Amino acid sequence: MIVLAMVLAAIVLLELFLLALQCRRGHPQWKTLRAFRYAHRGYHDKPQTPENSMAAFRRAIANFYGVELDVHLMRDGNLAVIHDASLLRTAGVDVLVEDLTAEELKQYRLEGTQEQIPLFSEVLELFEGKMPLIVELKAERGNYNELAEAACKMLDQYRVSYCIESFDPRCLMWLKKNRPEICRGQLSQAFLRHGDGGGQSKLTLFVLQHLLTNFLTKPDFIAYRFEDRNNLCLQWCRKVFKVQEINWTITTKEEMEASEQAGNLVIFERFDPRG
């Protein structure tokens, strides 16, 4: 009886584990999204062409690459395309983008060039009828609902193919509830290994690293750091739920080939995928 109870307990735990990792499959947008490789923060070429700049986006289009980009919600409700909340690394000023208006944003230049920080609307206008986008939502100060809603309203105004991803599962929960037709994805990595936890507790990072919020978000894809891709939970998501995997950030032809041979999409930078 003890052995039987242990077996039943193990079965129950396995079922709960699988329920936690649930994903959605078969989104119609994959027909378009799978046809491209994606330039990380645009097809930048520093120092001449900064990341997340209009020049980097135009360069991606000219080379027939899709683009991964980052979106922040500003004080006036506009959306800025930039990776860090602080402008210190990219523009040399210790200002947070969430505290700026669109007009104030245009005062700053990217990485010693004349390139301005783009508005999301400017990027979408550029990409109308062209290559697809992977849009990462950068939630700050608990603005995940407002950010997700503003990004969707902006995307609705343009004829652009896209999917949306975020490290913050609350952004995906908003999408699941309010815009279930949008292709959505969970970003993750081995947070503790890289010391990149954003001040979150170790328990929270463990849950996020192992995709244990999937049952709340039902992602269409998992965007996982390439060097961390052997994560057991990610492997289960692929085997059991057949979820699409996207790998970031690919920096060599060898990494790209390994990723694509596994059926994954690639987000690349610092090399030409065509070799």
Side-chain angles (χ1 to χ4, degrees):
M1 291 296 293
I2 295 177
V3 173
L4 178 59
M6 292 177 62
V7 171
L8 291 174
I11 291 173
V12 170
L13 288 174
L14 178 60
E15 289 181 346
L16 290 173
F17 172 68
L18 291 177
L19 284 173
L21 296 177
Q22 290 178 78
C23 300
R24 189 169 67 163
R25 58 186 296 188
H27 197 284
Q29 191 70 349
W30 290 121
K31 184 177 180 180
T32 299
L33 295 173
R34 287 191 179 115
F36 292 88
R37 293 165 177 157
Y38 294 85
H40 189 230
R41 307 177 195 171
Y43 195 20
H44 55 82
D45 184 21
K46 299 180 183 183
Q48 296 86 1
T49 308
E51 66 180 59
N52 275 326
S53 67
M54 294 299 285
F57 299 142
R58 286 191 292 266
R59 187 169 178 247
I61 291 171
N63 286 274
F64 300 99
Y65 294 129
V67 158
E68 180 271 351
L69 54 81
D70 310 281
V71 175
H72 286 258
L73 181 63
M74 293 190 292
R75 178 163 55 90
D76 62 356
N78 280 295
L79 295 160
V81 177
I82 191 167
H83 181 270
D84 304 356
S86 170
L87 304 191
L88 187 59
R89 178 181 67 87
T90 52
V93 290
D94 193 10
V95 175
L96 298 180
V97 69
E98 277 76 18
D99 292 332
L100 300 176
T101 65
E103 183 178 356
E104 292 167 342
L105 187 74
K106 294 305 179 182
Q107 301 175 21
Y108 304 107
R109 298 295 181 270
L110 288 168
E111 303 182 39
T113 71
Q114 291 303 306
E115 289 290 323
Q116 297 179 334
I117 300 168
L119 295 174
F120 193 33
S121 57
E122 295 172 327
V123 178
L124 293 178
E125 183 177 357
L126 178 66
F127 276 87
E128 272 204 305
K130 298 184 179 71
M131 288 68 192
L133 300 173
I134 299 176
V135 178
E136 179 180 345
L137 300 182
K138 291 287 192 179
E140 298 285 342
R141 303 173 182 170
N143 69 356
Y144 41 87
N145 289 337
E146 295 84 357
L147 171 62
E149 183 175 10
C152 290
K153 286 182 177 179
M154 185 62 66
L155 284 158
D156 287 343
Q157 299 178 42
Y158 296 88
R159 188 171 52 87
V160 176
S161 296
Y162 67 91
C163 60
I164 295 179
E165 64 180 12
S166 183
F167 281 106
D168 193 329
R170 295 171 296 185
C171 291
L172 304 188
M173 289 172 65
W174 187 94
L175 292 171
K176 177 175 176 284
K177 178 181 178 181
N178 298 283
R179 298 298 299 270
E181 76 281 4
I182 291 176
C183 185
R184 58 184 183 265
Q186 181 66 56
L187 268 162
S188 193
Q189 62 171 333
F191 294 98
L192 297 177
R193 176 190 301 174
H194 302 290
D196 187 16
Q200 301 282 353
S201 69
K202 289 185 177 181
L203 176 59
T204 298
L205 295 177
F206 178 88
V207 169
L208 295 175
Q209 175 174 326
H210 296 289
L211 307 170
L212 298 178
T213 62
N214 281 9
F215 73 102
L216 297 171
T217 61
K218 300 286 181 62
D220 296 292
F221 65 96
I222 306 295
Y224 219 87
R225 189 167 180 155
F226 175 76
E227 61 191 280
D228 301 332
R229 68 192 184 284
N230 291 326
N231 177 279
L232 177 62
C233 293
L234 174 61
Q235 293 178 357
W236 273 91
C237 286
R238 291 198 59 186
K239 291 178 181 178
V240 177
F241 299 106
K242 309 300 181 184
V243 72
Q244 177 66 56
E245 183 179 342
I246 299 178
N247 289 140
W248 58 276
T249 304
I250 303 297
T251 58
T252 67
K253 182 180 179 182
E254 291 73 24
E255 291 178 350
M256 180 185 71
E257 290 175 346
S259 178
E260 291 182 340
Q261 285 172 5
N264 305 339
L265 301 185
V266 299
I267 298 173
F268 71 90
E269 72 175 8
R270 297 199 300 272
F271 82 108
D272 184 346
R274 293 165 300 195

